[in-house]
Amino acid sequence: MTSPHAFWLAGRQATGEDAFDVTSPWDGRLVASVSIPTDAQVEEAVAAAYAVEAEFAATPAHVRAAALDHVSKRLAERTEEIAQLISAENGKPIKWARGEVGRAVSVFRFAAEEARRFNGGEAQRLDTDAGGVGRLALTRRFPRGTVLGIAPFNFPLNLCAHKVAPAIAVGAPIILKPAPATPLSGLILGELLAETDLPAGSWSVLPVANDKMPALVRDERLPVISFTGSETVGYAIMDSVPRKHCTLELGGNGAAVVLADWASDEDLDWAAIRIATFSNYQAGQSCISVQRVIADASVYERLVPKIVAAVEAQVTGDPNDAATDVGPLVSEDAAKRVESWVDEAVKAGASLLTGGKREGASYAPTVLADVPADATISCEEVFGPVLTVRRVDGEAEAFAAVNDSKYGLQAGVFTHDLQTAFRAHRELEVGGVVVGDVPSYRADQMPYGGVKQSGVGREGVRYAMDDYTYERVMVLTGLAL
């Protein structure tokens, strides 16, 4: 029998007393057995991180940048191997898995660049009032302390990268907790970090069981929590530690608005393809996947058949096949939940335009029309390959429909009109507005996060670095300015 996969404790490999199996959502095969850290090993990792905080914060920028550059380079060199691993543990089609590795390469590269220029200090003269003559304020940013990074299953490598890379860039120790369903991609990062010269204790990758997390979350030696996942868990974390600094990247039910000026056949074909692709990529398991299509009445009748055709053209099946667009969800239970929500909507009067079928952990790409406003699938994040279409009259009604949600992550607005684009940016209650495309676009260096129940704080390398640090001012006195 193969030994369980080791985890990373304060920069070195370790194994615990128990293990759990990681299986493929596609065919149920065993991908790997992963060792679980004991309570004592978790304590050792936290204590090591706490002990190294001052040393790591003082580590020269070039050392941290070199480590980040190394991880970026090694990810690129091992792209195919790691993509295959992501696909195996997550069920993600291989073409999307390759793209995820490419994004993680960029995240570590961006972090290396930011590490070299971050915290240079901002000088402010204080002699603007008589009492400040001869005084100068110098403001720099310093780490808040060790970061507890909690990553989800849907982007098992890149969202781990978004926790780890900014922490290393600012010199904050990090304890990474990957998702139980997909720990292997996070453990790969540990393997690459172990090849660097970062101080022992500055990072650990611990596949801790979810039921062990409350104690870790409450540990006072971990003052920063960066969580990506469900609204329910995220706000439970925040409520349990009100004095900690929390960044929460939570759910969404992303809207794509197609306005009256987006009316040519070419325009509508483009919108339909983008909507179909990004309602189903990652099997819809993305918080910025297209869940709601809000189309002006003047284009609705022409657009909807194009969307249905584009959805039906999505290739579903074996995630190992390079032609596959849509693979399974992360588990059969996840697919059953999506199935129940669609069935509920149809029973309540929604029209099923295509899809609506489940096979094991796979759910067919689905389009619904005439969905009641109080149906679960209208109100909550489906996190599956399902989209709804709705007709509206004009821009104002369209924007109101976007805002009629407890979520506010990102929205896409298909328009050619610059004034409309700026109105959308001003009026839509979301963290990001993508003009001319779906809400699913994310560049890893830009600020990313939501409002309302979509979370607090921002990811994106530089913005996470700000979140992991605080400003400290020094006043110099007796200067001849």
Side-chain angles (χ1 to χ4, degrees), residues 387-424:
L387 65 87
T388 67
V389 293
R390 174 180 174 181
R391 183 198 314 257
V392 294
D393 290 314
E395 173 192 307
E397 186 178 345
F399 290 177
V402 174
N403 291 339
D404 185 20
S405 171
K406 66 180 182 179
Y407 297 112
L409 191 47
Q410 292 199 162
V413 181
F414 289 90
T415 182
H416 295 291
D417 187 86
L418 187 60
Q419 292 295 333
T420 299
F422 274 90
R423 281 194 297 273

PDB file of all heavy atoms in Angstrom, residues 387-424:
ATOM      1  N   LEU A 387     -27.910  28.585 -15.912  1.00  0.00           N
ATOM      2  CA  LEU A 387     -28.155  30.012 -16.014  1.00  0.00           C
ATOM      3  C   LEU A 387     -29.629  30.266 -16.249  1.00  0.00           C
ATOM      4  O   LEU A 387     -30.351  29.413 -16.779  1.00  0.00           O
ATOM      5  CB  LEU A 387     -27.300  30.663 -17.102  1.00  0.00           C
ATOM      6  CG  LEU A 387     -27.519  30.288 -18.574  1.00  0.00           C
ATOM      7  CD1 LEU A 387     -28.619  31.150 -19.205  1.00  0.00           C
ATOM      8  CD2 LEU A 387     -26.228  30.465 -19.360  1.00  0.00           C
ATOM      9  N   THR A 388     -30.075  31.441 -15.833  1.00  0.00           N
ATOM     10  CA  THR A 388     -31.454  31.873 -16.045  1.00  0.00           C
ATOM     11  C   THR A 388     -31.458  33.067 -16.984  1.00  0.00           C
ATOM     12  O   THR A 388     -30.502  33.856 -17.009  1.00  0.00           O
ATOM     13  CB  THR A 388     -32.128  32.252 -14.718  1.00  0.00           C
ATOM     14  OG1 THR A 388     -31.494  33.419 -14.183  1.00  0.00           O
ATOM     15  CG2 THR A 388     -32.040  31.110 -13.709  1.00  0.00           C
ATOM     16  N   VAL A 389     -32.530  33.215 -17.775  1.00  0.00           N
ATOM     17  CA  VAL A 389     -32.657  34.351 -18.688  1.00  0.00           C
ATOM     18  C   VAL A 389     -33.901  35.135 -18.317  1.00  0.00           C
ATOM     19  O   VAL A 389     -34.944  34.566 -17.963  1.00  0.00           O
ATOM     20  CB  VAL A 389     -32.703  33.900 -20.159  1.00  0.00           C
ATOM     21  CG1 VAL A 389     -31.360  33.312 -20.570  1.00  0.00           C
ATOM     22  CG2 VAL A 389     -33.807  32.885 -20.401  1.00  0.00           C
ATOM     23  N   ARG A 390     -33.776  36.464 -18.404  1.00  0.00           N
ATOM     24  CA  ARG A 390     -34.869  37.358 -18.006  1.00  0.00           C
ATOM     25  C   ARG A 390     -34.947  38.534 -18.970  1.00  0.00           C
ATOM     26  O   ARG A 390     -33.927  39.105 -19.343  1.00  0.00           O
ATOM     27  CB  ARG A 390     -34.623  37.860 -16.580  1.00  0.00           C
ATOM     28  CG  ARG A 390     -35.611  38.907 -16.110  1.00  0.00           C
ATOM     29  CD  ARG A 390     -35.306  39.348 -14.691  1.00  0.00           C
ATOM     30  NE  ARG A 390     -36.148  40.453 -14.267  1.00  0.00           N
ATOM     31  CZ  ARG A 390     -36.074  41.035 -13.074  1.00  0.00           C
ATOM     32  NH1 ARG A 390     -35.186  40.588 -12.188  1.00  0.00           N
ATOM     33  NH2 ARG A 390     -36.869  42.048 -12.774  1.00  0.00           N
ATOM     34  N   ARG A 391     -36.164  38.912 -19.327  1.00  0.00           N
ATOM     35  CA  ARG A 391     -36.408  40.046 -20.209  1.00  0.00           C
ATOM     36  C   ARG A 391     -36.685  41.306 -19.370  1.00  0.00           C
ATOM     37  O   ARG A 391     -37.430  41.257 -18.386  1.00  0.00           O
ATOM     38  CB  ARG A 391     -37.625  39.749 -21.087  1.00  0.00           C
ATOM     39  CG  ARG A 391     -37.965  40.808 -22.116  1.00  0.00           C
ATOM     40  CD  ARG A 391     -39.412  40.631 -22.595  1.00  0.00           C
ATOM     41  NE  ARG A 391     -39.729  39.248 -22.902  1.00  0.00           N
ATOM     42  CZ  ARG A 391     -39.823  38.726 -24.121  1.00  0.00           C
ATOM     43  NH1 ARG A 391     -39.624  39.495 -25.173  1.00  0.00           N
ATOM     44  NH2 ARG A 391     -40.146  37.464 -24.296  1.00  0.00           N
ATOM     45  N   VAL A 392     -36.087  42.430 -19.762  1.00  0.00           N
ATOM     46  CA  VAL A 392     -36.345  43.707 -19.086  1.00  0.00           C
ATOM     47  C   VAL A 392     -36.563  44.788 -20.139  1.00  0.00           C
ATOM     48  O   VAL A 392     -36.189  44.636 -21.305  1.00  0.00           O
ATOM     49  CB  VAL A 392     -35.179  44.118 -18.154  1.00  0.00           C
ATOM     50  CG1 VAL A 392     -35.037  43.161 -16.991  1.00  0.00           C
ATOM     51  CG2 VAL A 392     -33.869  44.240 -18.932  1.00  0.00           C
ATOM     52  N   ASP A 393     -37.143  45.906 -19.698  1.00  0.00           N
ATOM     53  CA  ASP A 393     -37.386  47.040 -20.588  1.00  0.00           C
ATOM     54  C   ASP A 393     -36.466  48.191 -20.197  1.00  0.00           C
ATOM     55  O   ASP A 393     -36.759  48.951 -19.265  1.00  0.00           O
ATOM     56  CB  ASP A 393     -38.849  47.486 -20.513  1.00  0.00           C
ATOM     57  CG  ASP A 393     -39.793  46.471 -21.144  1.00  0.00           C
ATOM     58  OD1 ASP A 393     -39.483  46.006 -22.257  1.00  0.00           O
ATOM     59  OD2 ASP A 393     -40.806  46.141 -20.517  1.00  0.00           O
ATOM     60  N   GLY A 394     -35.347  48.266 -20.869  1.00  0.00           N
ATOM     61  CA  GLY A 394     -34.464  49.399 -20.700  1.00  0.00           C
ATOM     62  C   GLY A 394     -33.378  49.233 -19.666  1.00  0.00           C
ATOM     63  O   GLY A 394     -33.387  48.312 -18.834  1.00  0.00           O
ATOM     64  N   GLU A 395     -32.451  50.172 -19.713  1.00  0.00           N
ATOM     65  CA  GLU A 395     -31.265  50.139 -18.866  1.00  0.00           C
ATOM     66  C   GLU A 395     -31.597  50.217 -17.384  1.00  0.00           C
ATOM     67  O   GLU A 395     -31.036  49.477 -16.565  1.00  0.00           O
ATOM     68  CB  GLU A 395     -30.354  51.298 -19.259  1.00  0.00           C
ATOM     69  CG  GLU A 395     -29.158  51.535 -18.387  1.00  0.00           C
ATOM     70  CD  GLU A 395     -28.495  52.859 -18.688  1.00  0.00           C
ATOM     71  OE1 GLU A 395     -28.173  53.126 -19.868  1.00  0.00           O
ATOM     72  OE2 GLU A 395     -28.291  53.630 -17.729  1.00  0.00           O
ATOM     73  N   ALA A 396     -32.510  51.102 -17.025  1.00  0.00           N
ATOM     74  CA  ALA A 396     -32.823  51.288 -15.606  1.00  0.00           C
ATOM     75  C   ALA A 396     -33.358  50.009 -14.989  1.00  0.00           C
ATOM     76  O   ALA A 396     -32.968  49.624 -13.876  1.00  0.00           O
ATOM     77  CB  ALA A 396     -33.825  52.433 -15.431  1.00  0.00           C
ATOM     78  N   GLU A 397     -34.261  49.318 -15.685  1.00  0.00           N
ATOM     79  CA  GLU A 397     -34.802  48.070 -15.160  1.00  0.00           C
ATOM     80  C   GLU A 397     -33.721  46.994 -15.102  1.00  0.00           C
ATOM     81  O   GLU A 397     -33.689  46.176 -14.170  1.00  0.00           O
ATOM     82  CB  GLU A 397     -35.983  47.601 -16.008  1.00  0.00           C
ATOM     83  CG  GLU A 397     -36.690  46.383 -15.430  1.00  0.00           C
ATOM     84  CD  GLU A 397     -37.900  45.937 -16.235  1.00  0.00           C
ATOM     85  OE1 GLU A 397     -38.379  46.715 -17.084  1.00  0.00           O
ATOM     86  OE2 GLU A 397     -38.357  44.787 -16.011  1.00  0.00           O
ATOM     87  N   ALA A 398     -32.840  47.013 -16.107  1.00  0.00           N
ATOM     88  CA  ALA A 398     -31.755  46.029 -16.124  1.00  0.00           C
ATOM     89  C   ALA A 398     -30.839  46.210 -14.920  1.00  0.00           C
ATOM     90  O   ALA A 398     -30.486  45.247 -14.228  1.00  0.00           O
ATOM     91  CB  ALA A 398     -30.955  46.147 -17.415  1.00  0.00           C
ATOM     92  N   PHE A 399     -30.445  47.449 -14.642  1.00  0.00           N
ATOM     93  CA  PHE A 399     -29.546  47.700 -13.520  1.00  0.00           C
ATOM     94  C   PHE A 399     -30.242  47.404 -12.191  1.00  0.00           C
ATOM     95  O   PHE A 399     -29.611  46.897 -11.253  1.00  0.00           O
ATOM     96  CB  PHE A 399     -29.043  49.135 -13.558  1.00  0.00           C
ATOM     97  CG  PHE A 399     -28.077  49.425 -14.682  1.00  0.00           C
ATOM     98  CD1 PHE A 399     -27.593  50.707 -14.876  1.00  0.00           C
ATOM     99  CD2 PHE A 399     -27.656  48.432 -15.549  1.00  0.00           C
ATOM    100  CE1 PHE A 399     -26.697  50.984 -15.907  1.00  0.00           C
ATOM    101  CE2 PHE A 399     -26.768  48.685 -16.597  1.00  0.00           C
ATOM    102  CZ  PHE A 399     -26.293  49.977 -16.769  1.00  0.00           C
ATOM    103  N   ALA A 400     -31.528  47.706 -12.110  1.00  0.00           N
ATOM    104  CA  ALA A 400     -32.263  47.383 -10.891  1.00  0.00           C
ATOM    105  C   ALA A 400     -32.315  45.879 -10.666  1.00  0.00           C
ATOM    106  O   ALA A 400     -32.238  45.400  -9.532  1.00  0.00           O
ATOM    107  CB  ALA A 400     -33.672  47.957 -10.957  1.00  0.00           C
ATOM    108  N   ALA A 401     -32.443  45.113 -11.761  1.00  0.00           N
ATOM    109  CA  ALA A 401     -32.483  43.651 -11.651  1.00  0.00           C
ATOM    110  C   ALA A 401     -31.147  43.105 -11.157  1.00  0.00           C
ATOM    111  O   ALA A 401     -31.102  42.170 -10.352  1.00  0.00           O
ATOM    112  CB  ALA A 401     -32.837  43.033 -13.003  1.00  0.00           C
ATOM    113  N   VAL A 402     -30.046  43.682 -11.631  1.00  0.00           N
ATOM    114  CA  VAL A 402     -28.732  43.258 -11.133  1.00  0.00           C
ATOM    115  C   VAL A 402     -28.640  43.486  -9.634  1.00  0.00           C
ATOM    116  O   VAL A 402     -28.193  42.625  -8.868  1.00  0.00           O
ATOM    117  CB  VAL A 402     -27.599  44.027 -11.844  1.00  0.00           C
ATOM    118  CG1 VAL A 402     -26.240  43.684 -11.208  1.00  0.00           C
ATOM    119  CG2 VAL A 402     -27.567  43.707 -13.329  1.00  0.00           C
ATOM    120  N   ASN A 403     -29.086  44.647  -9.193  1.00  0.00           N
ATOM    121  CA  ASN A 403     -28.966  45.015  -7.782  1.00  0.00           C
ATOM    122  C   ASN A 403     -29.962  44.304  -6.878  1.00  0.00           C
ATOM    123  O   ASN A 403     -29.797  44.327  -5.648  1.00  0.00           O
ATOM    124  CB  ASN A 403     -29.137  46.529  -7.629  1.00  0.00           C
ATOM    125  CG  ASN A 403     -27.965  47.305  -8.218  1.00  0.00           C
ATOM    126  OD1 ASN A 403     -26.875  46.766  -8.382  1.00  0.00           O
ATOM    127  ND2 ASN A 403     -28.199  48.559  -8.542  1.00  0.00           N
ATOM    128  N   ASP A 404     -30.975  43.680  -7.472  1.00  0.00           N
ATOM    129  CA  ASP A 404     -31.982  42.968  -6.686  1.00  0.00           C
ATOM    130  C   ASP A 404     -31.438  41.602  -6.276  1.00  0.00           C
ATOM    131  O   ASP A 404     -31.909  40.553  -6.691  1.00  0.00           O
ATOM    132  CB  ASP A 404     -33.272  42.818  -7.493  1.00  0.00           C
ATOM    133  CG  ASP A 404     -34.398  42.188  -6.669  1.00  0.00           C
ATOM    134  OD1 ASP A 404     -34.317  42.218  -5.418  1.00  0.00           O
ATOM    135  OD2 ASP A 404     -35.353  41.656  -7.279  1.00  0.00           O
ATOM    136  N   SER A 405     -30.402  41.626  -5.467  1.00  0.00           N
ATOM    137  CA  SER A 405     -29.709  40.418  -5.041  1.00  0.00           C
ATOM    138  C   SER A 405     -28.980  40.715  -3.744  1.00  0.00           C
ATOM    139  O   SER A 405     -28.511  41.835  -3.521  1.00  0.00           O
ATOM    140  CB  SER A 405     -28.696  39.968  -6.104  1.00  0.00           C
ATOM    141  OG  SER A 405     -27.869  38.929  -5.614  1.00  0.00           O
ATOM    142  N   LYS A 406     -28.877  39.717  -2.897  1.00  0.00           N
ATOM    143  CA  LYS A 406     -28.098  39.906  -1.666  1.00  0.00           C
ATOM    144  C   LYS A 406     -26.604  39.881  -1.960  1.00  0.00           C
ATOM    145  O   LYS A 406     -25.797  40.244  -1.105  1.00  0.00           O
ATOM    146  CB  LYS A 406     -28.454  38.836  -0.645  1.00  0.00           C
ATOM    147  CG  LYS A 406     -28.064  37.418  -1.024  1.00  0.00           C
ATOM    148  CD  LYS A 406     -28.461  36.444   0.079  1.00  0.00           C
ATOM    149  CE  LYS A 406     -28.043  35.018  -0.247  1.00  0.00           C
ATOM    150  NZ  LYS A 406     -28.401  34.076   0.843  1.00  0.00           N
ATOM    151  N   TYR A 407     -26.232  39.429  -3.163  1.00  0.00           N
ATOM    152  CA  TYR A 407     -24.828  39.350  -3.542  1.00  0.00           C
ATOM    153  C   TYR A 407     -24.424  40.572  -4.365  1.00  0.00           C
ATOM    154  O   TYR A 407     -25.258  41.241  -4.968  1.00  0.00           O
ATOM    155  CB  TYR A 407     -24.561  38.090  -4.361  1.00  0.00           C
ATOM    156  CG  TYR A 407     -24.820  36.800  -3.629  1.00  0.00           C
ATOM    157  CD1 TYR A 407     -25.876  35.969  -4.005  1.00  0.00           C
ATOM    158  CD2 TYR A 407     -24.014  36.403  -2.569  1.00  0.00           C
ATOM    159  CE1 TYR A 407     -26.119  34.772  -3.339  1.00  0.00           C
ATOM    160  CE2 TYR A 407     -24.243  35.213  -1.901  1.00  0.00           C
ATOM    161  CZ  TYR A 407     -25.299  34.397  -2.285  1.00  0.00           C
ATOM    162  OH  TYR A 407     -25.538  33.227  -1.622  1.00  0.00           O
ATOM    163  N   GLY A 408     -23.120  40.803  -4.435  1.00  0.00           N
ATOM    164  CA  GLY A 408     -22.602  41.890  -5.249  1.00  0.00           C
ATOM    165  C   GLY A 408     -21.136  41.684  -5.560  1.00  0.00           C
ATOM    166  O   GLY A 408     -20.281  42.430  -5.078  1.00  0.00           O
ATOM    167  N   LEU A 409     -20.836  40.667  -6.351  1.00  0.00           N
ATOM    168  CA  LEU A 409     -19.434  40.364  -6.652  1.00  0.00           C
ATOM    169  C   LEU A 409     -18.999  41.054  -7.941  1.00  0.00           C
ATOM    170  O   LEU A 409     -18.293  42.048  -7.922  1.00  0.00           O
ATOM    171  CB  LEU A 409     -19.223  38.856  -6.708  1.00  0.00           C
ATOM    172  CG  LEU A 409     -17.771  38.372  -6.745  1.00  0.00           C
ATOM    173  CD1 LEU A 409     -16.896  39.048  -5.700  1.00  0.00           C
ATOM    174  CD2 LEU A 409     -17.709  36.859  -6.578  1.00  0.00           C
ATOM    175  N   GLN A 410     -19.434  40.567  -9.083  1.00  0.00           N
ATOM    176  CA  GLN A 410     -19.122  41.221 -10.350  1.00  0.00           C
ATOM    177  C   GLN A 410     -20.337  41.136 -11.263  1.00  0.00           C
ATOM    178  O   GLN A 410     -21.196  40.263 -11.100  1.00  0.00           O
ATOM    179  CB  GLN A 410     -17.895  40.610 -11.029  1.00  0.00           C
ATOM    180  CG  GLN A 410     -16.608  40.863 -10.285  1.00  0.00           C
ATOM    181  CD  GLN A 410     -15.332  40.695 -11.095  1.00  0.00           C
ATOM    182  OE1 GLN A 410     -14.298  41.189 -10.697  1.00  0.00           O
ATOM    183  NE2 GLN A 410     -15.385  39.999 -12.230  1.00  0.00           N
ATOM    184  N   ALA A 411     -20.394  42.058 -12.233  1.00  0.00           N
ATOM    185  CA  ALA A 411     -21.441  42.050 -13.250  1.00  0.00           C
ATOM    186  C   ALA A 411     -20.809  42.342 -14.597  1.00  0.00           C
ATOM    187  O   ALA A 411     -19.810  43.069 -14.678  1.00  0.00           O
ATOM    188  CB  ALA A 411     -22.520  43.091 -12.936  1.00  0.00           C
ATOM    189  N   GLY A 412     -21.390  41.768 -15.651  1.00  0.00           N
ATOM    190  CA  GLY A 412     -20.971  42.068 -17.013  1.00  0.00           C
ATOM    191  C   GLY A 412     -22.047  42.882 -17.706  1.00  0.00           C
ATOM    192  O   GLY A 412     -23.240  42.613 -17.529  1.00  0.00           O
ATOM    193  N   VAL A 413     -21.653  43.878 -18.476  1.00  0.00           N
ATOM    194  CA  VAL A 413     -22.607  44.731 -19.183  1.00  0.00           C
ATOM    195  C   VAL A 413     -22.190  44.802 -20.648  1.00  0.00           C
ATOM    196  O   VAL A 413     -21.131  45.357 -20.976  1.00  0.00           O
ATOM    197  CB  VAL A 413     -22.671  46.141 -18.583  1.00  0.00           C
ATOM    198  CG1 VAL A 413     -23.689  46.996 -19.342  1.00  0.00           C
ATOM    199  CG2 VAL A 413     -23.038  46.079 -17.104  1.00  0.00           C
ATOM    200  N   PHE A 414     -23.023  44.238 -21.525  1.00  0.00           N
ATOM    201  CA  PHE A 414     -22.765  44.279 -22.955  1.00  0.00           C
ATOM    202  C   PHE A 414     -23.374  45.563 -23.507  1.00  0.00           C
ATOM    203  O   PHE A 414     -24.586  45.672 -23.693  1.00  0.00           O
ATOM    204  CB  PHE A 414     -23.346  43.042 -23.643  1.00  0.00           C
ATOM    205  CG  PHE A 414     -22.599  41.767 -23.342  1.00  0.00           C
ATOM    206  CD1 PHE A 414     -22.947  40.978 -22.256  1.00  0.00           C
ATOM    207  CD2 PHE A 414     -21.540  41.365 -24.142  1.00  0.00           C
ATOM    208  CE1 PHE A 414     -22.263  39.802 -21.975  1.00  0.00           C
ATOM    209  CE2 PHE A 414     -20.837  40.189 -23.870  1.00  0.00           C
ATOM    210  CZ  PHE A 414     -21.204  39.408 -22.778  1.00  0.00           C
ATOM    211  N   THR A 415     -22.528  46.547 -23.761  1.00  0.00           N
ATOM    212  CA  THR A 415     -22.942  47.823 -24.328  1.00  0.00           C
ATOM    213  C   THR A 415     -21.766  48.426 -25.070  1.00  0.00           C
ATOM    214  O   THR A 415     -20.599  48.166 -24.725  1.00  0.00           O
ATOM    215  CB  THR A 415     -23.432  48.797 -23.248  1.00  0.00           C
ATOM    216  OG1 THR A 415     -23.878  50.015 -23.872  1.00  0.00           O
ATOM    217  CG2 THR A 415     -22.333  49.131 -22.246  1.00  0.00           C
ATOM    218  N   HIS A 416     -22.079  49.231 -26.092  1.00  0.00           N
ATOM    219  CA  HIS A 416     -21.036  49.983 -26.785  1.00  0.00           C
ATOM    220  C   HIS A 416     -20.985  51.428 -26.316  1.00  0.00           C
ATOM    221  O   HIS A 416     -20.073  52.170 -26.703  1.00  0.00           O
ATOM    222  CB  HIS A 416     -21.293  49.980 -28.304  1.00  0.00           C
ATOM    223  CG  HIS A 416     -21.200  48.627 -28.935  1.00  0.00           C
ATOM    224  ND1 HIS A 416     -20.019  47.937 -29.059  1.00  0.00           N
ATOM    225  CD2 HIS A 416     -22.160  47.828 -29.473  1.00  0.00           C
ATOM    226  CE1 HIS A 416     -20.245  46.766 -29.661  1.00  0.00           C
ATOM    227  NE2 HIS A 416     -21.535  46.680 -29.919  1.00  0.00           N
ATOM    228  N   ASP A 417     -21.928  51.835 -25.511  1.00  0.00           N
ATOM    229  CA  ASP A 417     -22.092  53.231 -25.148  1.00  0.00           C
ATOM    230  C   ASP A 417     -21.244  53.581 -23.925  1.00  0.00           C
ATOM    231  O   ASP A 417     -21.406  52.989 -22.850  1.00  0.00           O
ATOM    232  CB  ASP A 417     -23.572  53.524 -24.859  1.00  0.00           C
ATOM    233  CG  ASP A 417     -23.818  55.003 -24.637  1.00  0.00           C
ATOM    234  OD1 ASP A 417     -24.025  55.707 -25.637  1.00  0.00           O
ATOM    235  OD2 ASP A 417     -23.783  55.437 -23.472  1.00  0.00           O
ATOM    236  N   LEU A 418     -20.364  54.561 -24.095  1.00  0.00           N
ATOM    237  CA  LEU A 418     -19.447  54.913 -23.014  1.00  0.00           C
ATOM    238  C   LEU A 418     -20.188  55.501 -21.821  1.00  0.00           C
ATOM    239  O   LEU A 418     -19.850  55.215 -20.663  1.00  0.00           O
ATOM    240  CB  LEU A 418     -18.403  55.910 -23.535  1.00  0.00           C
ATOM    241  CG  LEU A 418     -17.258  56.258 -22.579  1.00  0.00           C
ATOM    242  CD1 LEU A 418     -16.451  55.014 -22.208  1.00  0.00           C
ATOM    243  CD2 LEU A 418     -16.343  57.315 -23.227  1.00  0.00           C
ATOM    244  N   GLN A 419     -21.198  56.316 -22.066  1.00  0.00           N
ATOM    245  CA  GLN A 419     -21.965  56.879 -20.961  1.00  0.00           C
ATOM    246  C   GLN A 419     -22.676  55.784 -20.167  1.00  0.00           C
ATOM    247  O   GLN A 419     -22.726  55.827 -18.931  1.00  0.00           O
ATOM    248  CB  GLN A 419     -22.979  57.905 -21.496  1.00  0.00           C
ATOM    249  CG  GLN A 419     -22.352  59.166 -22.069  1.00  0.00           C
ATOM    250  CD  GLN A 419     -21.614  59.978 -21.020  1.00  0.00           C
ATOM    251  OE1 GLN A 419     -21.938  59.933 -19.840  1.00  0.00           O
ATOM    252  NE2 GLN A 419     -20.584  60.707 -21.444  1.00  0.00           N
ATOM    253  N   THR A 420     -23.209  54.802 -20.882  1.00  0.00           N
ATOM    254  CA  THR A 420     -23.866  53.682 -20.206  1.00  0.00           C
ATOM    255  C   THR A 420     -22.863  52.911 -19.355  1.00  0.00           C
ATOM    256  O   THR A 420     -23.159  52.487 -18.232  1.00  0.00           O
ATOM    257  CB  THR A 420     -24.518  52.749 -21.228  1.00  0.00           C
ATOM    258  OG1 THR A 420     -25.508  53.472 -21.959  1.00  0.00           O
ATOM    259  CG2 THR A 420     -25.168  51.553 -20.547  1.00  0.00           C
ATOM    260  N   ALA A 421     -21.660  52.738 -19.885  1.00  0.00           N
ATOM    261  CA  ALA A 421     -20.625  52.024 -19.138  1.00  0.00           C
ATOM    262  C   ALA A 421     -20.326  52.741 -17.820  1.00  0.00           C
ATOM    263  O   ALA A 421     -20.222  52.110 -16.757  1.00  0.00           O
ATOM    264  CB  ALA A 421     -19.359  51.900 -19.973  1.00  0.00           C
ATOM    265  N   PHE A 422     -20.205  54.063 -17.871  1.00  0.00           N
ATOM    266  CA  PHE A 422     -19.920  54.806 -16.641  1.00  0.00           C
ATOM    267  C   PHE A 422     -21.110  54.798 -15.686  1.00  0.00           C
ATOM    268  O   PHE A 422     -20.934  54.761 -14.466  1.00  0.00           O
ATOM    269  CB  PHE A 422     -19.491  56.236 -16.982  1.00  0.00           C
ATOM    270  CG  PHE A 422     -18.022  56.348 -17.264  1.00  0.00           C
ATOM    271  CD1 PHE A 422     -17.539  56.188 -18.552  1.00  0.00           C
ATOM    272  CD2 PHE A 422     -17.117  56.574 -16.246  1.00  0.00           C
ATOM    273  CE1 PHE A 422     -16.182  56.267 -18.816  1.00  0.00           C
ATOM    274  CE2 PHE A 422     -15.759  56.650 -16.491  1.00  0.00           C
ATOM    275  CZ  PHE A 422     -15.275  56.495 -17.782  1.00  0.00           C
ATOM    276  N   ARG A 423     -22.347  54.822 -16.241  1.00  0.00           N
ATOM    277  CA  ARG A 423     -23.507  54.714 -15.358  1.00  0.00           C
ATOM    278  C   ARG A 423     -23.535  53.356 -14.673  1.00  0.00           C
ATOM    279  O   ARG A 423     -23.864  53.243 -13.486  1.00  0.00           O
ATOM    280  CB  ARG A 423     -24.800  54.952 -16.140  1.00  0.00           C
ATOM    281  CG  ARG A 423     -25.099  56.415 -16.418  1.00  0.00           C
ATOM    282  CD  ARG A 423     -26.525  56.609 -16.877  1.00  0.00           C
ATOM    283  NE  ARG A 423     -26.820  55.937 -18.130  1.00  0.00           N
ATOM    284  CZ  ARG A 423     -26.625  56.469 -19.336  1.00  0.00           C
ATOM    285  NH1 ARG A 423     -26.133  57.710 -19.452  1.00  0.00           N
ATOM    286  NH2 ARG A 423     -26.925  55.807 -20.425  1.00  0.00           N
ATOM    287  N   ALA A 424     -23.196  52.316 -15.415  1.00  0.00           N
ATOM    288  CA  ALA A 424     -23.152  50.972 -14.830  1.00  0.00           C
ATOM    289  C   ALA A 424     -22.132  50.923 -13.705  1.00  0.00           C
ATOM    290  O   ALA A 424     -22.382  50.360 -12.630  1.00  0.00           O
ATOM    291  CB  ALA A 424     -22.820  49.939 -15.896  1.00  0.00           C
TER     292      ALA A 424
END
